């Protein structure tokens, strides 16, 4: 297969980092940039040496020079933009969370299957060598009894929020908040490693505008509990853990699992050898390129995305967190 020519929707810091990683992936070539402003699209395209600029999603969808699209727009835009691109015959790599809710995701998946195109959630951590190491060494822990995944990071946008400036990260109108922004980094690996829980309990800390600032999720499995802690309004210095009857695995950062150690019951520690990278977005791009070239549109990651959204939908139901996108799909 020839190079995959792609365009980006979104001209933000995440897209900058994505394009930095994309430069190192063979067969993946930036061809176009979309922004609501043509001036901004052209400036961003020039900055990254892309020959095409768009201020119309219709024109981007119709452009035969574009094979795939990376979507890094606000969460509420993911589903409609992805469905339009998929329906026009383009593969889609969509930032996490892939959709506002499960209903949106199912429509996206339907569009992907109709055109036999790849739809993939850009959940960078689970495509990494570190996460592969976590998965492959789980058996060494024996019967798993407790899982604790946490990602608590004081948001760079929280100070603006406290000064009355509400940015995307704290705007429920755009399907955002702590669960959607960083809690998903705990939820996704939990369901990928351990599947669907039989009971979900949750608690949230809400900010005055209705956005969730932090939360806790307790998942119950047969013989095992998992606790997921996330926050955009405080920091945590405690690593994540998977505790088994024969040993404990310590993961320094669940959103970027590059440092993983196993402690045996005898107290001995083994640090797993994991390749390091300064930009872990490269792994999601490699997975996407492989899926496209293999024409593997019905891949296993879709099930993990669906289970993740089902779990987050239930948490939001329990906590009364409603997005405009939920009403639109009702």
């Amino acid at each position: 297969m020839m190079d995959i020519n792609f365009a980006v929707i979104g001209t933000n810091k995440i897209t900058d980092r994505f394009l930095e990683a994309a430069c190192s992936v063979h067969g993946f070539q930036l061809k176009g940039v979309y922004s609501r402003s043509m001036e901004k699209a052209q400036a961003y395209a020039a900055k990254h040496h892309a020959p095409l600029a768009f201020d119309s999603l219709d024109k981007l969808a119709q452009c035969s020079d574009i094979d795939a699209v990376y979507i890094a727009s606000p969460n509420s835009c993911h589903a409609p933009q992805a469905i339009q691109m998929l329906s026009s015959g383009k593969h889609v790599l969509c930032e996490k969370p892939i959709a506002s809710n499960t209903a949106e995701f199912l429509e996206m998946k339907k569009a992907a299957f109709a055109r036999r195109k790849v739809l993939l959630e850009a959940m960078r951590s689970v495509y990494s060598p570190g996460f592969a190491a976590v998965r492959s060494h789980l058996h060494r822990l024996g019967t798993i009894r407790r899982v604790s995944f946490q990602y608590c990071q004081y948001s760079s946008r929280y100070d603006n929020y406290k000064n009355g400036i509400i940015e995307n990260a704290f705007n429920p109108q755009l399907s955002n908040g702590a669960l959607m922004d960083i809690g998903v980094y705990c939820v996704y690996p939990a369901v990928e490693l351990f599947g669907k829980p039989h009971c979900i309990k949750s608690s949230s800390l809400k900010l005055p505008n209705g956005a969730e600032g932090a939360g806790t999720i307790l998942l119950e499995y047969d013989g095992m509990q998992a606790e997921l802690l996330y926050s955009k309004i405080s920091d945590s210095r405690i690593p994540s853990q998977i505790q088994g009857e024969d040993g404990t695995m310590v993961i320094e950062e669940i959103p970027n699992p590059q440092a993983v150690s196993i402690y045996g019951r005898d107290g001995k520690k083994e640090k797993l050898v994991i390749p390091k990278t300064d930009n872990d977005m490269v792994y999601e791009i490699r997975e996407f390129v492989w899926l496209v070239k293999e024409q593997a549109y019905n891949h296993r990651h879709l099930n993990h995305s669906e289970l993740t959204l089902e779990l987050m939908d239930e948490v939001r139901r329990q906590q009364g967190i409603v997005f405009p996108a939920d009403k639109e799909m009702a």
Side-chain angles (χ1 to χ4, degrees):
M1 182 178 177
M2 298 176 63
D3 285 355
I4 299 168
N5 293 319
F6 73 96
V8 295
I9 296 177
T11 54
N12 47 43
K13 291 181 179 179
I14 294 175
T15 312
D16 285 339
R17 194 160 178 264
F18 177 85
L19 292 176
E20 177 188 273
C23 289
S24 66
V25 178
H26 179 71
F28 197 55
Q29 183 67 43
L30 177 64
K31 192 78 169 181
V33 170
Y34 166 82
S35 175
R36 288 174 295 177
S37 158
M38 177 56 80
E39 182 180 4
K40 190 171 184 179
Q42 290 174 335
Y44 199 81
K47 173 183 174 182
H48 292 281
H49 311 291
L52 301 175
F54 304 89
D55 62 357
S56 164
L57 287 171
D58 290 338
K59 290 181 179 179
L60 171 56
Q62 294 163 9
C63 181
S64 59
D65 292 329
I66 303 296
D67 305 309
V69 177
Y70 167 69
I71 297 177
S73 53
N75 296 342
S76 58
C77 299
H78 288 180
Q81 291 175 349
I83 290 169
Q84 181 177 8
M85 297 301 139
L86 290 163
S87 299
S88 298
K90 303 193 188 309
H91 305 281
V92 170
L93 177 59
C94 185
E95 261 306 327
K96 58 80 197 167
I98 195 168
S100 299
N101 51 49
T102 308
E104 280 192 345
F105 173 74
L106 292 176
E107 290 300 311
M108 297 163 73
K109 183 178 173 182
K110 181 179 177 181
F113 278 36
R115 294 300 302 269
R116 302 173 71 88
K117 296 300 175 182
V118 171
L119 169 66
L120 182 67
E121 184 169 12
M123 180 55 63
R124 54 186 171 83
S125 57
V126 299
Y127 309 120
S128 68
F131 192 76
V134 169
R135 188 191 302 110
S136 65
H137 286 272
L138 267 186
H139 69 280
R140 298 175 55 189
L141 306 181
T143 302
I144 307 297
R145 292 303 189 186
R146 178 174 293 277
V147 173
S148 179
F149 289 166
Q150 54 181 295
Y151 185 20
C152 302
Q153 184 177 70
Y154 189 96
S155 172
S156 59
R157 298 174 179 85
Y158 187 44
D159 288 336
N160 280 344
Y161 174 88
K162 290 189 287 187
N163 290 323
I165 303 170
I166 310 300
E167 298 180 82
N168 291 355
F170 290 97
N171 189 348
Q173 296 298 308
L174 299 177
S175 303
N176 222 328
L179 175 64
M180 305 296 280
D181 191 20
I182 62 175
V184 66
Y185 281 111
C186 299
V187 176
Y188 196 113
V191 299
E192 175 161 346
L193 291 173
F194 307 109
K196 186 175 183 178
H198 60 69
C199 183
I200 301 168
K201 299 176 183 178
S202 63
S203 176
S204 291
L205 292 175
K206 293 182 183 177
L207 301 174
N209 74 325
E212 185 193 33
T216 302
I217 304 171
L218 178 64
L219 307 178
E220 294 183 8
Y221 296 84
D222 290 336
M224 188 193 92
Q225 290 182 326
E227 58 177 357
L228 313 179
L229 290 77
Y230 54 93
S231 175
K232 290 171 63 66
I233 56 177
S234 62
D235 288 321
S236 172
R237 305 299 179 187
I238 301 174
S240 293
Q241 294 186 49
I242 302 175
Q243 300 175 14
E245 292 186 356
D246 296 337
T248 298
M249 182 181 292
V250 176
I251 306 165
E252 289 299 323
E253 296 181 50
I254 195 63
N256 185 20
Q258 295 195 69
V260 181
S261 300
I262 293 178
Y263 293 79
R265 290 183 58 213
D266 58 3
K268 292 183 179 178
K269 173 186 176 182
E270 177 188 346
K271 188 173 183 179
L272 301 184
V273 177
I274 298 169
K276 300 294 191 296
T277 179
D278 293 330
N279 190 334
D280 59 352
M281 295 182 86
V282 69
Y283 302 119
E284 67 189 33
I285 300 172
R286 288 175 183 170
E287 182 71 8
F288 181 66
V289 169
W290 182 84
L291 290 171
V292 170
K293 293 190 174 182
E294 292 295 314
Q295 302 180 53
Y297 68 93
N298 188 10
H299 55 85
R300 65 184 180 88
H301 305 299
L302 293 171
N303 185 52
H304 301 146
S305 293
E306 185 172 343
L307 286 176
T308 296
L309 284 167
E310 286 179 356
L311 196 156
M312 295 198 298
D313 284 354
E314 173 59 20
V315 170
R316 291 197 297 112
R317 186 195 68 77
Q318 291 180 10
Q319 299 307 315
I321 301 171
V322 180
F323 301 142
D326 301 326
K327 300 173 183 177
E328 292 170 7
M329 296 301 295

